[in-house]
Amino acid sequence: MIKKYKEYEKEILSLVDELNSKQSFLYIESENILILGFESEISNLRATAGNVIVIDIEPKEINLNNVKFINNDLNSGFPELSTKFDLVVANFIMEYIQEKKIFFKNIIEKLTNSGILVIGLWFHNRILTPKLEYKFRDFFNKIGFKIINMEVIERNVNDPNFMPKVLFITLERE
């Protein structure tokens, strides 16, 4: 699989760019933003005047006055944060989270009542069937979220063994 990533790096990076583009208006409209994991968020950070906290196991510092970095493994819990957030971004980290229900419970505690959570999941070689979409909706409803939008962003690489895709989900608190 690593070979496929290297072979289609351009297409995969364009998926990340498209995901960032779809999320950019949320950054602009949000006053307090929490980013969980960091690799793909730099372009949107430069577009926001909001206060941003980034939690990552290996945060990469950038020189923006409105951004604070916290080194933390999210599998060991969330650090103490006094702020509530309008926007929480969790792109490309779900495969590393061991206790997903606890993770989402922590997010709900950090969101304002009208807060938005966005998730980007690698979805290579998968199909979003109605049954799978129902499972996602059911899971999120049970833990206190309503799906606003769920879509697959994909690239055609003319390779029947590899279909680069990202599942983009936007949620709000119920």
Side-chain angles (χ1 to χ4, degrees), residues 17-160:
D17 288 343
E18 186 173 343
L19 177 66
N20 283 335
S21 177
K22 289 179 178 288
Q23 295 174 353
S24 63
F25 78 95
L26 295 167
Y27 278 82
I28 292 167
E29 295 176 354
S30 299
E31 185 176 325
N32 292 303
I33 302 166
L34 177 61
I35 299 174
L36 307 172
F38 181 58
E39 283 301 314
S40 66
E41 307 309 316
I42 294 173
S43 63
N44 283 333
L45 286 179
R46 292 194 169 102
T48 184
N51 300 310
V52 180
I53 294 179
V54 176
I55 301 174
D56 198 325
I57 198 163
E58 293 179 13
K60 291 148 185 72
E61 299 278 338
I62 60 171
N63 190 18
L64 292 173
N65 293 333
N66 61 327
V67 180
K68 176 183 175 188
F69 290 86
I70 298 174
N71 181 341
N72 189 73
D73 181 351
L74 292 167
N75 284 306
S76 60
F78 277 53
E80 192 63 39
L81 301 169
S82 59
T83 305
K84 293 277 188 171
F85 298 92
D86 309 306
L87 174 63
V88 175
V89 179
N91 287 332
F92 312 118
I93 66 165
M94 293 311 304
E95 61 267 24
Y96 303 108
I97 301 300
Q98 295 163 0
E99 298 291 334
K100 290 176 178 44
K101 287 183 181 178
I102 293 170
F103 176 77
F104 287 115
K105 179 181 177 284
N106 286 326
I107 290 174
I108 285 176
E109 291 173 1
K110 306 299 182 226
L111 275 172
T112 62
N113 288 337
S114 60
I116 300 290
L117 167 63
V118 293
I119 300 172
L121 302 170
W122 291 119
F123 207 64
H124 304 311
N125 293 349
R126 295 189 186 124
I127 297 172
L128 184 61
T129 63
K131 183 178 180 179
L132 183 56
E133 184 174 339
Y134 174 81
K135 285 182 176 183
F136 275 112
R137 289 185 187 282
D138 186 53
F139 172 79
F140 286 117
N141 285 340
K142 286 179 180 174
I143 60 172
F145 286 102
K146 176 183 168 190
I147 294 178
I148 301 169
N149 181 51
M150 184 168 25
E151 66 181 283
V152 175
I153 307 167
E154 61 187 292
R155 294 294 178 268
N156 183 353
V157 294
N158 294 318
D159 182 341

